Amino acid sequence: MASQVLDCPMMATESEFRRRIDLVRARMSDRTIDTLLVSVGRDMPYLIGYEAMPLERLTMLVIPMDGPSTLVVPALEEPRVSPMPGLFDIIPWGETTEPLDIVAGLCGDDRRIAVGDQMWARFLVGLVERLPGVTWLRSSDVVGPARMVKGPQEVSALRAAAQAVDRIAERLQTGQIPLIGRSEAEVSADLSAQIVAEGHERVNFAIVAAGPNAASPHHHPGDRIIGPNEIVLCDFGGTMNGYCSDITRCVVTGDIDAEIGAAWAALQQSQEAGVQAGVVGSACAEVDRAARSVLVDAGYGEYFVHRTGHGIGMEEHEEPYMVEGAEALIEAGHAFSVEPGIYVPGRWGMRLEDIVVATLDGPVRLNEASHELFSVRA
Ligand code: ZN
Ligand code: ZN
Ligand code: ZN
């Protein structure tokens, strides 16, 4: 299901890519970095909409502090590149050329060069040999903070992906997805098919955990048959036009007893408090503290065993993380999950998750599927 290479457009205009490169250059300037080199991984599609083939043949984007950027790409892959002449030049290399010499030539006498975290060692070692005296830095401090701040086109892409999984969640909540008598794995396959049918180019995960299995936050759906009167936790998402969705909803296959109803009410309050704490200028940790304190006060503190949320964008889990100790401040454009859970070992578990974007007007939920715990006869 997971295709390594995205053939879809990355849902961005040339001016949006320019905005991103400008953000990155501003950070390069702060850190007196002469050149940024990115290869395989998500930084390149973020910056120019092209994802390098994860092969031994070198594809590398060279972004100098000043002057034009250059994509060094195998000649046989050049047809896959959408050229943006105002944004970057293309140097295709043939089978008998050594592309590291081209990259080294573009770096010239630069002294401080940042490289992508996922660049292969074979490329980096080759560059280190060719460019003595260079101080090598990681690109994560340069591209990471830029990627955290989503622009309007990125928020639109995240919203479209969120709405797609909302439609699946609504089918789950209204009993249109059969549960009782089927294995978790079968329901997971069903959700995966719907993720694709709703327009995602790939499925990232479709966790289905029923009964006591729901007490394991990252349960792998298995052979266990879903029975009546169980909580069924579904946490699923994919990548659509390069951006990720991620939602968790729970249903009960029968009547909701008092214990479960009370826990769900606390979980809803906790999730709401976490979302409302997603305010520009507060620490990321405040989202975790707000969600957690509701569950602690209601007596479920020991059963909330993970952080409250993670950033989301071109990757399912990326910065910023909503966790105790994360003192970085929330900025307008940060997109992240708020997903508190209660896990009672051996008995049951529940989680409620939405994707939220921080804006100057306050936190905005991208997911709009109901927060109720539905009793389904399915
Ligand atoms: Zn997760
Ligand atoms: Zn999730
Ligand atoms: Zn999540």
Side-chain angles (χ1 to χ4, degrees):
M1 185 52 61
S3 70
Q4 289 284 4
V5 175
L6 300 177
D7 289 320
C8 66
M10 291 289 173
M11 212 184 200
T13 57
E14 188 165 333
S15 65
E16 168 67 6
F17 289 125
R18 189 176 304 283
R19 180 190 75 84
R20 298 176 189 177
I21 290 176
D22 287 347
L23 276 175
V24 162
R25 281 208 166 113
R27 296 195 65 92
M28 287 169 68
S29 162
D30 289 348
R31 286 165 173 66
T32 60
I33 290 169
D34 301 311
T35 298
L36 170 67
L37 303 176
V38 297
S39 182
V40 293
R42 307 302 293 163
D43 288 344
M44 193 187 295
Y46 171 77
L47 292 167
I48 62 166
Y50 180 72
E51 184 164 359
M53 300 271 272
L55 299 175
E56 76 293 351
R57 291 193 182 93
L58 176 141
T59 302
M60 201 169 285
L61 177 65
V62 181
I63 300 185
M65 188 56 235
D66 312 293
S69 301
T70 307
L71 180 67
V72 180
V73 64
L76 72 169
E77 286 159 27
E78 190 192 358
R80 297 180 58 244
V81 180
S82 307
M84 285 181 273
L87 211 60
F88 62 94
D89 301 329
I90 300 174
I91 300 184
W93 58 271
E95 294 287 71
T96 57
T97 323
E98 175 44 74
L100 287 170
D101 290 337
I102 301 172
V103 174
L106 289 166
C107 292
D109 52 8
D110 291 347
R111 282 292 152 265
R112 286 169 61 79
I113 299 179
V115 295
D117 282 18
Q118 287 146 326
M119 181 178 299
W120 289 3
R122 60 186 298 155
F123 300 151
L124 180 56
V125 170
L127 288 168
V128 168
E129 286 168 3
R130 284 170 175 77
L131 296 167
V134 163
T135 300
W136 297 94
L137 302 142
R138 288 174 51 185
S139 75
S140 43
D141 289 346
V142 181
V143 189
R147 279 178 54 185
M148 264 196 274
V149 179
K150 272 68 183 181
Q153 292 182 27
E154 298 188 278
V155 172
S156 300
L158 285 167
R159 178 175 280 117
Q163 289 173 343
V165 289
D166 277 353
R167 290 190 286 272
I168 303 170
E170 282 156 11
R171 272 177 234 134
L172 174 74
Q173 294 173 325
T174 51
Q176 296 175 65
I177 299 176
L179 300 171
I180 297 171
R182 299 174 84 203
S183 70
E184 294 168 342
E186 284 176 275
V187 177
S188 173
D190 221 356
L191 292 175
S192 296
Q194 295 195 34
I195 288 169
V196 172
E198 286 290 353
H200 293 76
E201 59 265 12
R202 65 182 165 206
V203 177
N204 294 330
F205 52 89
I207 297 171
V208 176
N213 284 347
S216 166
H218 269 180
H219 174 68
H220 187 80
D223 296 338
R224 187 181 177 281
I225 301 296
I226 300 169
N229 303 310
E230 291 185 338
I231 300 179
V232 182
L233 182 160
C234 298
D235 181 354
F236 49 95
T239 304
M240 188 163 136
N241 292 315
Y243 285 81
C244 294
S245 58
D246 184 4
I247 187 172
T248 308
R249 291 294 186 270
C250 298
V251 297
V252 175
T253 53
D255 294 326
I256 298 166
D257 67 26
E259 179 192 20
I260 299 300
W264 186 263
L267 186 62
Q268 265 186 288
Q269 279 179 31
S270 162
Q271 207 263 357
E272 176 67 21
V275 171
Q276 295 312 326
V279 173
V280 172
S282 309
C284 292
E286 289 300 334
V287 172
D288 186 82
R289 287 177 199 137
R292 197 169 300 279
S293 70
V294 172
L295 292 184
V296 168
D297 291 349
Y300 301 103
E302 66 180 295
Y303 302 122
F304 179 18
V305 293
H306 56 71
R307 66 185 176 215
T308 295
H310 54 83
I312 189 167
M314 299 184 95
E315 288 173 280
E316 309 140 34
H317 290 184
E318 60 181 45
E319 292 188 280
Y321 291 97
M322 303 316 191
V323 62
E324 184 53 54
E327 296 305 332
L329 302 185
I330 297 172
E331 294 176 44
H334 281 183
F336 49 87
S337 71
V338 178
E339 51 179 305
I342 303 174
Y343 310 94
V344 183
R347 295 193 56 220
W348 51 264
M350 53 176 63
R351 176 162 70 250
L352 179 58
E353 174 179 28
D354 290 321
I355 302 305
V356 174
V357 177
T359 77
L360 293 173
D361 299 324
V364 174
R365 274 192 177 86
L366 299 184
N367 294 103
E368 291 169 356
S370 171
H371 284 181
E372 296 304 312
L373 181 64
F374 284 78
S375 163
V376 297
R377 312 284 162 174

